[in-house]
Structures are given as C-alpha cells and as structure tokens.
Amino acid sequence: MTVIPEDLTAAGWTIEADGKAIAKTFRFKGFRAAIAWMVQGAFEAEEIDHHPEWRNVYNRVEVRLTSHDTGGLTDRDIDLAQRLEALSR
C-alpha cells in the first residue's frame, strides 16, 4: 500500500476513503494562471507517462490521481503529485 508523504498531506493532498486515489484542489489568481499551470503539469505527466484526472473551473483545478492499470494508488501518483505541487509554488 502506498502512503502519502507528509509534505503532500501538509500541502493539502488527501487520500480518498477507499485508499485508491489522492486528490487536491489548487487555486490560482485567475483563469490564465490555472490553465498555464495545467499545461506545465501536462508536460510533467507526459514525461512520466502518468496522466491525471483533472477539472478546471475558472481559477480552480481539481486533481485526482490514481493508477488505473493497477486499480489503486502507486508511487507514480505520488511522483506526479510532488511534481504538480512543485509547479504550484
């Protein structure tokens, strides 16, 4: 079972009740900033061949990470979460 590192929980990432995914809502100054972050995140995701479930509404991006091929949370989800977190700083 993959555990969320403390740095991610401190940053607001939560594990879903079934333990199969982690999620966080990011907030930005506006739509442009949110979309720019998503584009950067897309490049990070592509680099590690792991793609998020995400949704954008104006200045918010809701992210859910799970590994569909394994049916649950893996180290790839943690890696992508840390990369997305770094981009948000």
Side-chain angles (χ1 to χ4, degrees):
M1 178 177 187
T2 302
V3 177
I4 304 176
E6 287 184 31
D7 62 323
L8 290 179
T9 56
W13 287 87
T14 59
I15 192 162
E16 291 187 350
D18 62 6
K20 294 184 178 183
I22 56 176
K24 179 178 177 176
T25 298
F26 290 87
R27 292 188 185 339
F28 300 92
K29 287 185 178 184
F31 182 72
R32 275 187 193 204
I35 292 299
W37 178 84
M38 288 179 81
V39 169
Q40 291 176 316
F43 286 116
E44 293 292 326
E46 191 67 15
E47 185 175 303
I48 62 172
D49 193 30
H50 191 55
H51 306 94
E53 295 175 17
W54 54 11
R55 177 176 180 259
N56 165 251
V57 177
Y58 182 58
N59 69 333
R60 290 186 331 267
V61 180
E62 299 167 5
V63 180
R64 180 178 183 270
L65 300 175
T66 189
S67 294
H68 296 284
D69 57 340
T70 66
L73 195 59
T74 68
D75 290 338
R76 290 185 309 167
D77 301 300
I78 301 304
D79 183 18
L80 185 53
Q82 289 172 326
R83 289 170 180 244
L84 295 174
E85 199 60 44
L87 289 175
S88 72
R89 295 184 190 121

